[in-house]
Amino acid sequence: MNAYPRPGGQPAGGHRAAPPHHTRRFDVIVVGAGLSGTLVAKRLGDQGWRVLVLEAGTGTLDTWPGHLDAMNTYYAAAAKVPNSPYRPNAAAPSPDVLDLAGLPEGGFRAHGYFVQNGALPYGSDYLRANGGTVMHWLGLTPRMHPEDFAVRRKFGYGRDWPLGYADLEGHYRAAERELGVAGDAQEQSEAIGLPFPEGYVYPMHRIPRSYLDDVVAAKLDGVPVRESADSPGTTLRVVTTPHARNSVPDARYDGGRGYRPAGAAGLPNYGERCVGNASCVPICPVQAKYNPLKTQATWDSRVTLVTRAVVSRVLADGTGRAMGVEYQAYDDPAAPVHTTHTAEADIVVLAAHAIENAKLLLVSRLAEHSGQVGRNLMDHPVLLTWGLMKHPVGPFRGPASTSGVESFRTGPARRRRAPFRIEIANWGWSWPAASPGSDVARLLGIPGDSGQPRGRGVFGKELRRRLGDGIGRQFSLQFELEQEAEGRNRVTVDPRHRDRLGNPRPVITYDLSDRLKRGMAAAKAVSDRVFGLLEAEDRTVYGPGPFSPGHFRFEGQDFTFNGAGHGAGTHIMGDSRDTSVVDHWQRCWDHPNLYAVGCGSMPSVGTSNPSLTMAALALRSSEQIHRDLTELHRPVTVRTGGGGGTDAASGHVPGPAPSPHSRPHQEVRP
């Protein structure tokens, strides 16, 4: 079954994809139809609120023909980068990893949507289209560790959250249900120390370990490794990673009721079970991986989606209350022609990615009290290492990563260096060396890749033999490091730099702290020891060049980092309006009816992929938004001056904007 069963391009839910722009008044406006915006709209629509979702990008991906077009675009792309399946959109441009190039002597050159003016490049991208960046995510859904929420109190760096793991645990479970997570809770608890309720299981059984995982585990499990001569040993263990990906539903889930999420017209979960295409980034051909379009197919009819609607400004009155938004509607993504409209609502929710949310707040001159809007930009800088195993290990089969080594995520070493988790990559050297295409080019002797003149390459049976031997033994590790919140890493706007619709482009200032660089040095030292245990031939090389925009030197060593696509921190959460942008509900301190949701609210990112935490926060915020709306619409009794009487005309004064509810509101609980 495909994810978009209705013919004619109509989404499977009850919403209309292109309502008339004269519809002006809603209970809630959600800016952005990515993961956070889709979940907020789902929860509020189910409770009877009228929700307008404005998406800057197109909606072409939410039909089966649109999915096939994206697949064909991906097949034809020379570089299989995250945004390669998705057609460029000049009206709502997306940053791309190909926008950066390294220089021969070091440093980098940038073009594209971002204006980069930092010491190092911000190498992450995102997608402005219906479904957002989760259309090209890897699909990994680990939880944050409890100690990740209090890094300043425990380890003396960064920022602490105004809430803890226990406050979010129930929402983690709700998010795991919504995304259909496959995993092993007992393994996560034993190996990582994550607290779960007694007897909890994930909705689906874990994705099976790859052959490569088993090979690595046989050599590493139980072995202590020192990251430096004077550090204590850390015991290694290969642990399967939770995935938002279809596997086998667990009959024990939900007290034995099992997992069978309701889809459009009561259909079961969309997409096939994972069949191991190894193209999770940028696209799953069989739709086994979760994406927001699956949730949108279950939206209530009160949710209205408008695509090709670029929100250019949030409107607020003199008291600080948000009144609505101004947006630019366009038809042709290649042309700057557009019309400007406004929409009003009782509550506005920004859910347009950490960088776009910050840009909108800056352009609108909102949430300025703390001076933190746009600051504390974070990512998970990635260090890659790669080599050749002694025998074939079966790369390019299964999801891009099924297991990892979690041993370095926690512990007292965080006081001196950034922690990291290690992904065992199932896709060979595709990230560090563009395999297998680069391997074919090298053996064929294509000029520019191998330096050999054409005609001196290898062909026929010998070509197949050497490709099979080399590619089959490829092995790589991906070290994702925690980046702490630093005010110097930031997003700003400059009226001199605008896009095709006249909106300011994000100006990025970015660098890595010495603490993070010490983490990279420790990660490389661990990689050296792991490669030795595996008897693998290390082929890792770092240095300046066109494919190394993230190159730098630290303490006499060369390193090259990449972006993980995990932008965070730009409208940071805290317990004071003097030091943070939003409170623990992701509600702007300065504007009681304006929310900025998503990873931009996170004060720290730990080492886990952040999408599950972002989803949990969105579901938690939906509860408070529902309470806010209920209070706004509560009838108010008007008593006469003599006491005891009511207004003769109506007996009460309604709230600001009546909502057509036919049932009492119920608080959302995970």
Side-chain angles (χ1 to χ4, degrees), residues 102-107 541-553 558-560:
L103 300 176
E105 303 301 322
V541 177
Y542 304 129
F547 303 111
S548 302
H551 169 262
F552 64 91
R553 288 186 62 81
D558 286 294
F559 295 93
T560 298

Side-chain angles (χ1 to χ4, degrees), residues 619-638:
L619 294 174
R620 185 175 184 273
S621 293
S622 298
E623 297 176 358
Q624 184 59 40
I625 295 169
H626 171 63
R627 286 190 286 266
D628 289 349
L629 287 167
T630 301
E631 184 63 29
L632 283 169
H633 290 261
R634 189 183 305 280
V636 179
T637 300
V638 179

Side-chain angles (χ1 to χ4, degrees), residues 104-460:
E105 303 301 322
F108 66 94
R109 175 175 53 84
H111 61 279
Y113 181 51
F114 286 160
V115 180
Q116 302 253 13
N117 67 359
L120 289 171
Y122 185 76
S124 283
D125 62 4
Y126 50 88
L127 179 64
R128 297 173 78 188
N130 187 27
T133 307
V134 174
M135 298 304 293
H136 74 213
W137 70 321
L138 182 55
L140 304 189
T141 51
R143 296 184 179 192
M144 290 180 68
H145 192 276
E147 73 177 34
D148 294 337
F149 292 84
V151 293
R152 172 155 291 280
R153 187 166 67 252
K154 291 179 180 293
F155 305 109
Y157 69 89
R159 285 175 172 251
D160 289 343
W161 290 60
L163 49 82
Y165 180 94
D167 299 303
L168 208 55
E169 199 284 325
H171 301 92
Y172 270 139
R173 282 182 277 130
E176 286 158 355
R177 173 187 285 272
E178 186 64 50
L179 274 60
V181 172
D184 186 332
Q186 183 175 346
E187 183 184 29
Q188 292 286 300
S189 177
E190 293 174 353
I192 305 173
L194 296 179
F196 293 91
E198 183 69 27
Y200 178 72
V201 298
Y202 284 106
M204 289 186 274
H205 289 284
R206 71 180 188 178
I207 300 291
R209 296 205 310 195
S210 68
Y211 174 65
L212 171 61
D213 294 339
D214 289 336
V215 169
V216 174
K219 295 282 189 179
L220 301 189
D221 280 1
V223 178
V225 163
R226 298 178 185 273
E227 58 187 73
S228 63
D230 58 350
S231 65
T234 299
T235 302
L236 304 179
R237 176 176 174 178
V238 173
V239 182
T240 56
T241 310
H243 285 240
R245 193 182 319 280
N246 293 341
S247 69
V248 178
D250 194 329
R252 300 170 297 166
Y253 181 70
D254 195 17
R257 286 181 284 272
Y259 177 69
R260 189 178 185 273
L267 296 172
N269 192 33
Y270 308 142
E272 299 178 21
R273 292 178 184 174
C274 177
V275 295
N277 282 287
S279 62
C280 317
V281 178
I283 192 169
C284 176
V286 301
Q287 303 171 346
K289 182 180 62 175
Y290 172 84
N291 68 62
L293 306 184
K294 298 185 179 186
T295 296
Q296 290 179 19
T298 69
W299 272 348
D300 185 87
S301 60
R302 295 176 181 86
V303 179
T304 300
L305 171 66
V306 180
T307 58
R308 307 188 188 213
V310 179
V311 174
S312 53
R313 192 161 56 101
V314 179
L315 306 174
D317 64 19
T319 69
R321 291 194 66 85
M323 300 184 298
V325 299
E326 177 184 274
Y327 67 96
Q328 300 159 320
Y330 64 92
D331 291 322
D332 183 356
V337 178
H338 64 276
T339 55
T340 301
H341 307 267
T342 59
E344 297 179 355
D346 295 326
I347 289 180
V348 175
V349 180
L350 304 184
H353 188 274
I355 289 177
E356 295 296 322
N357 276 0
K359 188 186 81 170
L360 264 176
L361 289 172
L362 290 167
V363 169
S364 306
R365 308 212 43 158
L366 298 177
E368 296 181 309
H369 176 81
S370 66
Q372 294 299 305
V373 174
R375 293 186 180 274
N376 307 295
L377 175 64
M378 293 177 279
D379 193 9
H380 283 130
V382 177
L383 184 76
L384 303 174
T385 61
W386 60 100
L388 287 174
M389 300 288 270
K390 296 183 70 173
H391 59 85
V393 290
F396 299 99
R397 297 187 298 185
S401 176
T402 40
S403 299
V405 177
E406 313 289 348
S407 312
F408 299 91
R409 289 180 58 180
T410 58
R414 296 178 81 160
R415 294 186 181 279
R416 67 178 185 276
R417 55 93 175 138
F420 49 87
R421 68 178 298 266
I422 310 172
E423 286 185 15
I424 301 171
N426 289 334
W427 47 14
W429 295 356
S430 62
W431 195 354
S435 294
S438 62
D439 302 291
V440 175
R442 174 176 51 81
L443 289 173
L444 290 177
I446 295 176
D449 291 286
S450 65
Q452 295 176 283
R454 186 177 296 277
R456 295 184 59 185
V458 178
F459 303 92

Side-chain angles (χ1 to χ4, degrees), residues 162 369-370 572-583 589:
H369 176 81
S370 66
I572 208 156
M573 179 192 298
D575 55 14
S576 167
R577 72 185 296 261
D578 294 329
T579 58
S580 58
V581 180
V582 300
D583 65 13
W589 288 106

